[in-house]
Amino acid sequence: FLDDVDRWLSVLSRHGMSVMLVLFDACWRPDLENARPIPGVHNSAWVQCPTHDVLRAFGEGRADARERLQGYVTVDGSSLASLLGAASQ
């Protein structure tokens, strides 16, 4: 995954473009399994991440939810350095 992100950032950089990566997005269609696109509605198959169930479990202090969310945002130092290097080129 990080290799794909690194390549993507390199392509954007070559074209003078920048991007902001969004790790969590809780502002669209919450908790829809297998969301189908709605014709004529931009990003209509975009679903909330993390789901309300995961957020609720995290709020209750459940370790499984904390580990799941932590996995989204934890990268080792060399991977992070690679991503930041590609973004600044």
mmCIF file of all heavy atoms in Angstrom, residues 35-81:
data_model
loop_
_atom_site.group_PDB
_atom_site.id
_atom_site.type_symbol
_atom_site.label_atom_id
_atom_site.label_comp_id
_atom_site.label_asym_id
_atom_site.label_seq_id
_atom_site.Cartn_x
_atom_site.Cartn_y
_atom_site.Cartn_z
ATOM 1 N N ALA A 35 -22.002 -0.433 -0.733
ATOM 2 C CA ALA A 35 -22.708 0.731 -1.272
ATOM 3 C C ALA A 35 -22.639 0.741 -2.794
ATOM 4 O O ALA A 35 -21.599 0.473 -3.379
ATOM 5 C CB ALA A 35 -22.096 2.006 -0.722
ATOM 6 N N ARG A 36 -23.735 1.000 -3.415
ATOM 7 C CA ARG A 36 -23.834 1.101 -4.869
ATOM 8 C C ARG A 36 -23.882 2.581 -5.261
ATOM 9 O O ARG A 36 -24.501 3.383 -4.563
ATOM 10 C CB ARG A 36 -25.100 0.415 -5.370
ATOM 11 C CG ARG A 36 -25.156 -1.047 -5.053
ATOM 12 C CD ARG A 36 -24.590 -1.818 -6.225
ATOM 13 N NE ARG A 36 -24.764 -3.240 -5.985
ATOM 14 C CZ ARG A 36 -23.804 -4.104 -6.149
ATOM 15 N NH1 ARG A 36 -22.629 -3.727 -6.560
ATOM 16 N NH2 ARG A 36 -24.024 -5.366 -5.923
ATOM 17 N N PRO A 37 -23.241 2.920 -6.369
ATOM 18 C CA PRO A 37 -23.296 4.315 -6.816
ATOM 19 C C PRO A 37 -24.727 4.765 -7.114
ATOM 20 O O PRO A 37 -25.552 3.983 -7.577
ATOM 21 C CB PRO A 37 -22.478 4.297 -8.112
ATOM 22 C CG PRO A 37 -21.634 3.072 -8.038
ATOM 23 C CD PRO A 37 -22.410 2.082 -7.228
ATOM 24 N N ILE A 38 -24.998 6.025 -6.831
ATOM 25 C CA ILE A 38 -26.262 6.647 -7.166
ATOM 26 C C ILE A 38 -26.005 7.459 -8.434
ATOM 27 O O ILE A 38 -25.175 8.372 -8.423
ATOM 28 C CB ILE A 38 -26.749 7.568 -6.030
ATOM 29 C CG1 ILE A 38 -26.940 6.781 -4.739
ATOM 30 C CG2 ILE A 38 -28.027 8.290 -6.430
ATOM 31 C CD1 ILE A 38 -27.161 7.641 -3.514
ATOM 32 N N PRO A 39 -26.664 7.117 -9.530
ATOM 33 C CA PRO A 39 -26.410 7.844 -10.784
ATOM 34 C C PRO A 39 -26.561 9.351 -10.610
ATOM 35 O O PRO A 39 -27.527 9.830 -10.011
ATOM 36 C CB PRO A 39 -27.481 7.288 -11.730
ATOM 37 C CG PRO A 39 -27.799 5.928 -11.191
ATOM 38 C CD PRO A 39 -27.686 6.073 -9.703
ATOM 39 N N GLY A 40 -25.560 10.083 -11.100
ATOM 40 C CA GLY A 40 -25.595 11.535 -11.040
ATOM 41 C C GLY A 40 -25.138 12.150 -9.737
ATOM 42 O O GLY A 40 -25.123 13.364 -9.597
ATOM 43 N N VAL A 41 -24.741 11.319 -8.756
ATOM 44 C CA VAL A 41 -24.295 11.837 -7.456
ATOM 45 C C VAL A 41 -22.800 11.548 -7.303
ATOM 46 O O VAL A 41 -22.375 10.395 -7.259
ATOM 47 C CB VAL A 41 -25.084 11.209 -6.285
ATOM 48 C CG1 VAL A 41 -24.553 11.721 -4.951
ATOM 49 C CG2 VAL A 41 -26.560 11.501 -6.422
ATOM 50 N N HIS A 42 -22.005 12.625 -7.254
ATOM 51 C CA HIS A 42 -20.550 12.508 -7.149
ATOM 52 C C HIS A 42 -20.151 11.748 -5.880
ATOM 53 O O HIS A 42 -20.663 12.031 -4.802
ATOM 54 C CB HIS A 42 -19.936 13.910 -7.136
ATOM 55 C CG HIS A 42 -18.455 13.931 -6.958
ATOM 56 N ND1 HIS A 42 -17.604 13.456 -7.919
ATOM 57 C CD2 HIS A 42 -17.687 14.351 -5.947
ATOM 58 C CE1 HIS A 42 -16.356 13.603 -7.512
ATOM 59 N NE2 HIS A 42 -16.380 14.146 -6.306
ATOM 60 N N ASN A 43 -19.236 10.771 -6.026
ATOM 61 C CA ASN A 43 -18.711 9.971 -4.907
ATOM 62 C C ASN A 43 -19.808 9.273 -4.112
ATOM 63 O O ASN A 43 -19.677 9.070 -2.906
ATOM 64 C CB ASN A 43 -17.859 10.817 -3.961
ATOM 65 C CG ASN A 43 -16.487 11.111 -4.512
ATOM 66 O OD1 ASN A 43 -16.042 10.483 -5.469
ATOM 67 N ND2 ASN A 43 -15.804 12.058 -3.910
ATOM 68 N N SER A 44 -20.874 8.879 -4.751
ATOM 69 C CA SER A 44 -22.014 8.316 -4.029
ATOM 70 C C SER A 44 -21.750 6.945 -3.432
ATOM 71 O O SER A 44 -22.506 6.504 -2.568
ATOM 72 C CB SER A 44 -23.239 8.251 -4.945
ATOM 73 O OG SER A 44 -22.987 7.406 -6.050
ATOM 74 N N ALA A 45 -20.692 6.263 -3.846
ATOM 75 C CA ALA A 45 -20.362 4.970 -3.242
ATOM 76 C C ALA A 45 -19.307 5.118 -2.149
ATOM 77 O O ALA A 45 -18.816 4.135 -1.611
ATOM 78 C CB ALA A 45 -19.895 3.984 -4.312
ATOM 79 N N TRP A 46 -18.944 6.331 -1.823
ATOM 80 C CA TRP A 46 -17.968 6.612 -0.768
ATOM 81 C C TRP A 46 -18.651 6.366 0.559
ATOM 82 O O TRP A 46 -19.690 6.941 0.857
ATOM 83 C CB TRP A 46 -17.549 8.058 -0.880
ATOM 84 C CG TRP A 46 -16.447 8.531 0.011
ATOM 85 C CD1 TRP A 46 -16.198 8.167 1.298
ATOM 86 C CD2 TRP A 46 -15.463 9.493 -0.336
ATOM 87 N NE1 TRP A 46 -15.125 8.848 1.786
ATOM 88 C CE2 TRP A 46 -14.640 9.674 0.797
ATOM 89 C CE3 TRP A 46 -15.192 10.224 -1.463
ATOM 90 C CZ2 TRP A 46 -13.576 10.556 0.812
ATOM 91 C CZ3 TRP A 46 -14.133 11.096 -1.443
ATOM 92 C CH2 TRP A 46 -13.329 11.253 -0.322
ATOM 93 N N VAL A 47 -18.094 5.520 1.395
ATOM 94 C CA VAL A 47 -18.694 5.226 2.687
ATOM 95 C C VAL A 47 -17.810 5.736 3.809
ATOM 96 O O VAL A 47 -16.610 5.925 3.651
ATOM 97 C CB VAL A 47 -18.983 3.716 2.876
ATOM 98 C CG1 VAL A 47 -19.993 3.237 1.856
ATOM 99 C CG2 VAL A 47 -17.724 2.899 2.789
ATOM 100 N N GLN A 48 -18.433 5.952 4.932
ATOM 101 C CA GLN A 48 -17.733 6.452 6.108
ATOM 102 C C GLN A 48 -16.673 5.468 6.567
ATOM 103 O O GLN A 48 -16.880 4.262 6.568
ATOM 104 C CB GLN A 48 -18.746 6.666 7.223
ATOM 105 C CG GLN A 48 -18.113 7.079 8.529
ATOM 106 C CD GLN A 48 -19.165 7.341 9.564
ATOM 107 O OE1 GLN A 48 -20.102 8.063 9.317
ATOM 108 N NE2 GLN A 48 -18.994 6.769 10.733
ATOM 109 N N CYS A 49 -15.547 5.994 6.969
ATOM 110 C CA CYS A 49 -14.480 5.164 7.527
ATOM 111 C C CYS A 49 -13.836 5.958 8.653
ATOM 112 O O CYS A 49 -13.367 7.077 8.405
ATOM 113 C CB CYS A 49 -13.455 4.833 6.464
ATOM 114 S SG CYS A 49 -12.093 3.853 7.100
ATOM 115 N N PRO A 50 -13.765 5.463 9.845
ATOM 116 C CA PRO A 50 -14.304 4.192 10.305
ATOM 117 C C PRO A 50 -15.823 4.265 10.496
ATOM 118 O O PRO A 50 -16.383 5.346 10.600
ATOM 119 C CB PRO A 50 -13.592 3.963 11.628
ATOM 120 C CG PRO A 50 -13.231 5.329 12.115
ATOM 121 C CD PRO A 50 -13.019 6.173 10.898
ATOM 122 N N THR A 51 -16.423 3.111 10.579
ATOM 123 C CA THR A 51 -17.871 3.044 10.739
ATOM 124 C C THR A 51 -18.282 3.473 12.152
ATOM 125 O O THR A 51 -17.458 3.535 13.066
ATOM 126 C CB THR A 51 -18.388 1.621 10.495
ATOM 127 O OG1 THR A 51 -17.867 0.764 11.515
ATOM 128 C CG2 THR A 51 -17.994 1.101 9.123
ATOM 129 N N HIS A 52 -19.567 3.739 12.317
ATOM 130 C CA HIS A 52 -20.080 4.086 13.650
ATOM 131 C C HIS A 52 -19.807 2.973 14.650
ATOM 132 O O HIS A 52 -19.523 3.245 15.820
ATOM 133 C CB HIS A 52 -21.582 4.362 13.599
ATOM 134 C CG HIS A 52 -21.917 5.674 12.969
ATOM 135 N ND1 HIS A 52 -23.139 5.939 12.438
ATOM 136 C CD2 HIS A 52 -21.194 6.810 12.782
ATOM 137 C CE1 HIS A 52 -23.164 7.164 11.958
ATOM 138 N NE2 HIS A 52 -21.997 7.700 12.147
ATOM 139 N N ASP A 53 -19.897 1.728 14.207
ATOM 140 C CA ASP A 53 -19.635 0.605 15.124
ATOM 141 C C ASP A 53 -18.211 0.652 15.661
ATOM 142 O O ASP A 53 -17.980 0.443 16.857
ATOM 143 C CB ASP A 53 -19.876 -0.730 14.422
ATOM 144 C CG ASP A 53 -21.342 -0.988 14.128
ATOM 145 O OD1 ASP A 53 -22.211 -0.337 14.770
ATOM 146 O OD2 ASP A 53 -21.625 -1.834 13.266
ATOM 147 N N VAL A 54 -17.246 0.921 14.788
ATOM 148 C CA VAL A 54 -15.847 0.992 15.227
ATOM 149 C C VAL A 54 -15.646 2.193 16.137
ATOM 150 O O VAL A 54 -14.983 2.089 17.180
ATOM 151 C CB VAL A 54 -14.887 1.035 14.021
ATOM 152 C CG1 VAL A 54 -13.462 1.276 14.466
ATOM 153 C CG2 VAL A 54 -14.982 -0.252 13.212
ATOM 154 N N LEU A 55 -16.210 3.335 15.774
ATOM 155 C CA LEU A 55 -16.069 4.527 16.618
ATOM 156 C C LEU A 55 -16.702 4.317 17.990
ATOM 157 O O LEU A 55 -16.145 4.729 19.010
ATOM 158 C CB LEU A 55 -16.699 5.738 15.930
ATOM 159 C CG LEU A 55 -15.983 6.236 14.677
ATOM 160 C CD1 LEU A 55 -16.785 7.355 14.027
ATOM 161 C CD2 LEU A 55 -14.573 6.672 14.983
ATOM 162 N N ARG A 56 -17.866 3.677 18.008
ATOM 163 C CA ARG A 56 -18.545 3.387 19.275
ATOM 164 C C ARG A 56 -17.676 2.468 20.141
ATOM 165 O O ARG A 56 -17.502 2.702 21.345
ATOM 166 C CB ARG A 56 -19.906 2.751 19.006
ATOM 167 C CG ARG A 56 -20.822 2.699 20.192
ATOM 168 C CD ARG A 56 -22.226 2.195 19.833
ATOM 169 N NE ARG A 56 -22.857 3.005 18.776
ATOM 170 C CZ ARG A 56 -23.041 2.606 17.505
ATOM 171 N NH1 ARG A 56 -22.679 1.405 17.123
ATOM 172 N NH2 ARG A 56 -23.616 3.408 16.635
ATOM 173 N N ALA A 57 -17.122 1.424 19.531
ATOM 174 C CA ALA A 57 -16.269 0.481 20.267
ATOM 175 C C ALA A 57 -15.026 1.195 20.806
ATOM 176 O O ALA A 57 -14.597 0.952 21.932
ATOM 177 C CB ALA A 57 -15.886 -0.683 19.360
ATOM 178 N N PHE A 58 -14.459 2.113 20.003
ATOM 179 C CA PHE A 58 -13.298 2.879 20.459
ATOM 180 C C PHE A 58 -13.689 3.748 21.649
ATOM 181 O O PHE A 58 -12.965 3.821 22.646
ATOM 182 C CB PHE A 58 -12.746 3.744 19.323
ATOM 183 C CG PHE A 58 -11.580 4.586 19.728
ATOM 184 C CD1 PHE A 58 -10.321 4.030 19.842
ATOM 185 C CD2 PHE A 58 -11.743 5.931 20.004
ATOM 186 C CE1 PHE A 58 -9.234 4.799 20.225
ATOM 187 C CE2 PHE A 58 -10.671 6.710 20.388
ATOM 188 C CZ PHE A 58 -9.412 6.148 20.494
ATOM 189 N N GLY A 59 -14.845 4.396 21.555
ATOM 190 C CA GLY A 59 -15.332 5.236 22.657
ATOM 191 C C GLY A 59 -15.566 4.454 23.935
ATOM 192 O O GLY A 59 -15.461 4.996 25.034
ATOM 193 N N GLU A 60 -15.894 3.167 23.785
ATOM 194 C CA GLU A 60 -16.104 2.299 24.946
ATOM 195 C C GLU A 60 -14.784 1.759 25.498
ATOM 196 O O GLU A 60 -14.776 1.040 26.491
ATOM 197 C CB GLU A 60 -17.003 1.129 24.555
ATOM 198 C CG GLU A 60 -18.421 1.549 24.222
ATOM 199 C CD GLU A 60 -19.222 0.430 23.576
ATOM 200 O OE1 GLU A 60 -18.672 -0.659 23.300
ATOM 201 O OE2 GLU A 60 -20.429 0.648 23.326
ATOM 202 N N GLY A 61 -13.681 2.092 24.829
ATOM 203 C CA GLY A 61 -12.373 1.665 25.301
ATOM 204 C C GLY A 61 -11.969 0.257 24.885
ATOM 205 O O GLY A 61 -11.055 -0.316 25.472
ATOM 206 N N ARG A 62 -12.624 -0.297 23.880
ATOM 207 C CA ARG A 62 -12.306 -1.666 23.451
ATOM 208 C C ARG A 62 -10.966 -1.705 22.737
ATOM 209 O O ARG A 62 -10.696 -0.925 21.813
ATOM 210 C CB ARG A 62 -13.405 -2.205 22.553
ATOM 211 C CG ARG A 62 -14.662 -2.503 23.336
ATOM 212 C CD ARG A 62 -15.761 -3.175 22.582
ATOM 213 N NE ARG A 62 -15.361 -3.911 21.401
ATOM 214 C CZ ARG A 62 -16.184 -4.170 20.390
ATOM 215 N NH1 ARG A 62 -17.435 -3.745 20.417
ATOM 216 N NH2 ARG A 62 -15.760 -4.845 19.350
ATOM 217 N N ALA A 63 -10.118 -2.618 23.169
ATOM 218 C CA ALA A 63 -8.775 -2.740 22.627
ATOM 219 C C ALA A 63 -8.780 -3.098 21.145
ATOM 220 O O ALA A 63 -7.935 -2.621 20.382
ATOM 221 C CB ALA A 63 -7.971 -3.786 23.409
ATOM 222 N N ASP A 64 -9.725 -3.938 20.697
ATOM 223 C CA ASP A 64 -9.752 -4.330 19.285
ATOM 224 C C ASP A 64 -10.002 -3.122 18.379
ATOM 225 O O ASP A 64 -9.395 -2.991 17.314
ATOM 226 C CB ASP A 64 -10.782 -5.430 19.028
ATOM 227 C CG ASP A 64 -12.220 -5.029 19.375
ATOM 228 O OD1 ASP A 64 -12.418 -4.259 20.338
ATOM 229 O OD2 ASP A 64 -13.133 -5.500 18.679
ATOM 230 N N ALA A 65 -10.864 -2.211 18.810
ATOM 231 C CA ALA A 65 -11.131 -1.016 18.019
ATOM 232 C C ALA A 65 -9.920 -0.095 18.007
ATOM 233 O O ALA A 65 -9.556 0.462 16.971
ATOM 234 C CB ALA A 65 -12.348 -0.283 18.561
ATOM 235 N N ARG A 66 -9.269 0.036 19.173
ATOM 236 C CA ARG A 66 -8.069 0.882 19.238
ATOM 237 C C ARG A 66 -6.985 0.337 18.318
ATOM 238 O O ARG A 66 -6.354 1.086 17.577
ATOM 239 C CB ARG A 66 -7.546 0.953 20.669
ATOM 240 C CG ARG A 66 -6.359 1.874 20.820
ATOM 241 C CD ARG A 66 -5.889 1.925 22.284
ATOM 242 N NE ARG A 66 -4.988 3.004 22.539
ATOM 243 C CZ ARG A 66 -3.712 3.029 22.155
ATOM 244 N NH1 ARG A 66 -3.210 2.038 21.468
ATOM 245 N NH2 ARG A 66 -2.949 4.068 22.442
ATOM 246 N N GLU A 67 -6.767 -0.967 18.333
ATOM 247 C CA GLU A 67 -5.756 -1.581 17.474
ATOM 248 C C GLU A 67 -6.099 -1.391 16.000
ATOM 249 O O GLU A 67 -5.225 -1.119 15.182
ATOM 250 C CB GLU A 67 -5.607 -3.061 17.803
ATOM 251 C CG GLU A 67 -4.957 -3.312 19.144
ATOM 252 C CD GLU A 67 -5.016 -4.771 19.571
ATOM 253 O OE1 GLU A 67 -5.400 -5.632 18.752
ATOM 254 O OE2 GLU A 67 -4.683 -5.035 20.742
ATOM 255 N N ARG A 68 -7.372 -1.530 15.673
ATOM 256 C CA ARG A 68 -7.785 -1.344 14.276
ATOM 257 C C ARG A 68 -7.507 0.075 13.795
ATOM 258 O O ARG A 68 -6.939 0.291 12.724
ATOM 259 C CB ARG A 68 -9.266 -1.673 14.134
ATOM 260 C CG ARG A 68 -9.777 -1.510 12.733
ATOM 261 C CD ARG A 68 -11.194 -1.967 12.613
ATOM 262 N NE ARG A 68 -11.686 -1.732 11.267
ATOM 263 C CZ ARG A 68 -12.864 -2.120 10.840
ATOM 264 N NH1 ARG A 68 -13.667 -2.777 11.647
ATOM 265 N NH2 ARG A 68 -13.250 -1.861 9.615
ATOM 266 N N LEU A 69 -7.898 1.072 14.597
ATOM 267 C CA LEU A 69 -7.666 2.453 14.211
ATOM 268 C C LEU A 69 -6.183 2.799 14.209
ATOM 269 O O LEU A 69 -5.704 3.521 13.333
ATOM 270 C CB LEU A 69 -8.435 3.394 15.143
ATOM 271 C CG LEU A 69 -9.956 3.288 15.060
ATOM 272 C CD1 LEU A 69 -10.603 4.147 16.133
ATOM 273 C CD2 LEU A 69 -10.457 3.643 13.684
ATOM 274 N N GLN A 70 -5.460 2.258 15.164
ATOM 275 C CA GLN A 70 -4.028 2.519 15.235
ATOM 276 C C GLN A 70 -3.326 1.976 13.994
ATOM 277 O O GLN A 70 -2.386 2.585 13.492
ATOM 278 C CB GLN A 70 -3.441 1.895 16.491
ATOM 279 C CG GLN A 70 -2.008 2.287 16.741
ATOM 280 C CD GLN A 70 -1.524 1.806 18.103
ATOM 281 O OE1 GLN A 70 -2.221 1.089 18.819
ATOM 282 N NE2 GLN A 70 -0.331 2.204 18.461
ATOM 283 N N GLY A 71 -3.806 0.864 13.464
ATOM 284 C CA GLY A 71 -3.222 0.291 12.259
ATOM 285 C C GLY A 71 -3.329 1.202 11.048
ATOM 286 O O GLY A 71 -2.497 1.158 10.152
ATOM 287 N N TYR A 72 -4.354 2.056 11.018
ATOM 288 C CA TYR A 72 -4.517 2.991 9.910
ATOM 289 C C TYR A 72 -3.461 4.097 9.935
ATOM 290 O O TYR A 72 -3.114 4.639 8.893
ATOM 291 C CB TYR A 72 -5.883 3.674 9.957
ATOM 292 C CG TYR A 72 -7.053 2.815 9.588
ATOM 293 C CD1 TYR A 72 -8.090 2.623 10.488
ATOM 294 C CD2 TYR A 72 -7.152 2.212 8.339
ATOM 295 C CE1 TYR A 72 -9.192 1.861 10.161
ATOM 296 C CE2 TYR A 72 -8.239 1.439 8.004
ATOM 297 C CZ TYR A 72 -9.263 1.263 8.916
ATOM 298 O OH TYR A 72 -10.345 0.503 8.591
ATOM 299 N N VAL A 73 -3.023 4.481 11.094
ATOM 300 C CA VAL A 73 -2.184 5.674 11.211
ATOM 301 C C VAL A 73 -0.742 5.395 11.621
ATOM 302 O O VAL A 73 0.050 6.320 11.709
ATOM 303 C CB VAL A 73 -2.798 6.689 12.197
ATOM 304 C CG1 VAL A 73 -4.147 7.163 11.689
ATOM 305 C CG2 VAL A 73 -2.936 6.101 13.578
ATOM 306 N N THR A 74 -0.404 4.151 11.856
ATOM 307 C CA THR A 74 0.943 3.818 12.302
ATOM 308 C C THR A 74 1.757 3.259 11.139
ATOM 309 O O THR A 74 1.348 2.288 10.520
ATOM 310 C CB THR A 74 0.894 2.770 13.430
ATOM 311 O OG1 THR A 74 0.085 3.281 14.493
ATOM 312 C CG2 THR A 74 2.280 2.466 13.948
ATOM 313 N N VAL A 75 2.858 3.913 10.850
ATOM 314 C CA VAL A 75 3.795 3.414 9.851
ATOM 315 C C VAL A 75 5.187 3.483 10.458
ATOM 316 O O VAL A 75 5.445 4.263 11.366
ATOM 317 C CB VAL A 75 3.749 4.234 8.537
ATOM 318 C CG1 VAL A 75 2.394 4.108 7.870
ATOM 319 C CG2 VAL A 75 4.088 5.679 8.774
ATOM 320 N N ASP A 76 6.075 2.655 9.948
ATOM 321 C CA ASP A 76 7.434 2.724 10.482
ATOM 322 C C ASP A 76 8.126 3.970 9.930
ATOM 323 O O ASP A 76 7.725 4.539 8.919
ATOM 324 C CB ASP A 76 8.228 1.450 10.168
ATOM 325 C CG ASP A 76 8.468 1.255 8.693
ATOM 326 O OD1 ASP A 76 9.194 2.077 8.104
ATOM 327 O OD2 ASP A 76 7.931 0.289 8.128
ATOM 328 N N GLY A 77 9.181 4.403 10.596
ATOM 329 C CA GLY A 77 9.863 5.643 10.247
ATOM 330 C C GLY A 77 10.375 5.702 8.825
ATOM 331 O O GLY A 77 10.276 6.731 8.157
ATOM 332 N N SER A 78 10.903 4.599 8.287
ATOM 333 C CA SER A 78 11.446 4.633 6.929
ATOM 334 C C SER A 78 10.337 4.811 5.900
ATOM 335 O O SER A 78 10.508 5.500 4.895
ATOM 336 C CB SER A 78 12.247 3.365 6.642
ATOM 337 O OG SER A 78 11.414 2.217 6.709
ATOM 338 N N SER A 79 9.174 4.202 6.128
ATOM 339 C CA SER A 79 8.056 4.381 5.204
ATOM 340 C C SER A 79 7.562 5.814 5.236
ATOM 341 O O SER A 79 7.275 6.405 4.195
ATOM 342 C CB SER A 79 6.912 3.440 5.558
ATOM 343 O OG SER A 79 7.294 2.100 5.387
ATOM 344 N N LEU A 80 7.472 6.388 6.417
ATOM 345 C CA LEU A 80 7.026 7.764 6.546
ATOM 346 C C LEU A 80 8.013 8.698 5.859
ATOM 347 O O LEU A 80 7.612 9.608 5.129
ATOM 348 C CB LEU A 80 6.858 8.142 8.016
ATOM 349 C CG LEU A 80 6.341 9.545 8.293
ATOM 350 C CD1 LEU A 80 4.981 9.754 7.645
ATOM 351 C CD2 LEU A 80 6.261 9.787 9.785
ATOM 352 N N ALA A 81 9.294 8.472 6.054
ATOM 353 C CA ALA A 81 10.309 9.311 5.414
ATOM 354 C C ALA A 81 10.200 9.222 3.893
ATOM 355 O O ALA A 81 10.328 10.224 3.189
ATOM 356 C CB ALA A 81 11.706 8.887 5.873
#
